[in-house]
Amino acid sequence: MPSRLGFQALRVLAIEDCTFMKDYAFHLENLGRLHQLRYLGLRETPISKLPKEIGELRFLQTIDLWECKNVEALPQSIILLRQLKCLRAGGAACKPISVPDGMGNLTSMEELWLRYVDKCPNFVQELGKLTELRNLNICIELPESWMCKTFVESLGNLQKIQVLSLHALNAKLSWEGYAHDLVTLGEFPELLRLERCGSDNDIPVVMGGNAFHKLRSCNMTAPLRFLPGAMPSLERLEFTVHVQPLKEANFDFDFGSLENLPCLREAVILTLTAAALLFTEIMLMSMNEQVS
């Protein structure tokens, strides 16, 4: 950034997927002078942090730091961005990222991607204040039982969620707790896609009633059994069956319950055995087809 900026009316700044020569520093010290900025795109760049002056950009609506592998923390001043609607930070190969206390102040947030959040116990409470969220993609460490419970309680406040991707690290959840959590998620009135909602348990959850009324796509790391009325709008399903634990529990998993999903078009089932990973893909072209 030049020290004397002539871009006072700049709305969009996208410096994305860039590499920089070794002798050229990547400076953002003057970013706070772009007072009209709405969009800041820095994904897949070598930056290590945002300047604290980021909090001066009161009209900023989007910050994209996705796959910025060197960013380990968001500045405290980010909680001043009351018009921020979209925040993406972290990524599959990124370092753990910490977020400041007070993230619940960002009440205009509609899309939040954080993978993964580390050592931020207050965040699980603050999350419940972001009631405008439509898209939540989060990987979070939940080493204590109270954090797991609070996290689920916070999710219960996000009634406008349409796309939900969850992954909890070190989560101390019993199977009974996991089943109760699915009941909470099943009551979301606008949820369209649910991804990677997992547990370490292997016994299927029975889904019934009008749970997940609008859900179109579901990707789970545990198997599900479907009673009539469950997920009535589901079109794509993916889950994993752990064969050995089911055998040890004398539990016969019934794939026939898929017939209770009237709109299902595609089911991808990963079958884990002690010897190998078996992959079965079942294409359902209509609700009247027999699943084999």
Side-chain angles (χ1 to χ4, degrees), residues 50-100:
L50 289 174
K52 63 180 181 179
E53 290 79 14
I54 191 79
E56 299 175 13
L57 305 180
R58 302 303 172 87
F59 298 107
L60 194 60
Q61 296 180 0
T62 298
I63 300 176
D64 192 347
L65 300 173
W66 197 244
E67 296 295 349
C68 290
K69 296 181 173 59
N70 299 318
V71 175
E72 299 183 45
L74 298 178
Q76 181 65 43
S77 62
I78 202 171
I79 68 171
L80 300 176
L81 304 177
R82 298 301 181 91
Q83 295 194 36
L84 194 65
K85 295 180 181 295
C86 176
L87 172 62
R88 306 186 190 106
C94 293
K95 299 177 181 178
I97 190 168
S98 62
V99 297

Side-chain angles (χ1 to χ4, degrees), residues 178-240:
Y178 177 59
H180 172 73
D181 298 344
L182 284 180
V183 171
T184 300
L185 299 181
E187 295 175 351
F188 284 5
E190 303 299 327
L191 189 62
L192 300 176
R193 190 164 81 237
L194 178 63
E195 299 178 353
R196 295 186 295 276
C197 180
S199 168
D200 293 332
N201 298 281
D202 303 306
I203 305 301
V205 171
V206 177
M207 301 300 300
N210 290 317
F212 299 98
H213 187 70
K214 288 188 177 182
L215 198 68
R216 301 293 194 273
S217 176
C218 181
N219 183 334
M220 309 288 282
T221 58
L224 299 175
R225 292 183 64 183
F226 301 95
L227 299 180
M231 298 188 180
S233 302
L234 193 69
E235 297 176 357
R236 187 182 190 278
L237 172 67
E238 181 174 338
F239 62 82
T240 302

Side-chain angles (χ1 to χ4, degrees), residues 5 28-36 51-57:
L5 292 173
L28 295 173
E29 289 88 348
N30 298 298
L31 188 65
R33 300 185 184 184
L34 302 177
H35 297 294
Q36 300 301 316
K52 63 180 181 179
E53 290 79 14
I54 191 79
E56 299 175 13
L57 305 180

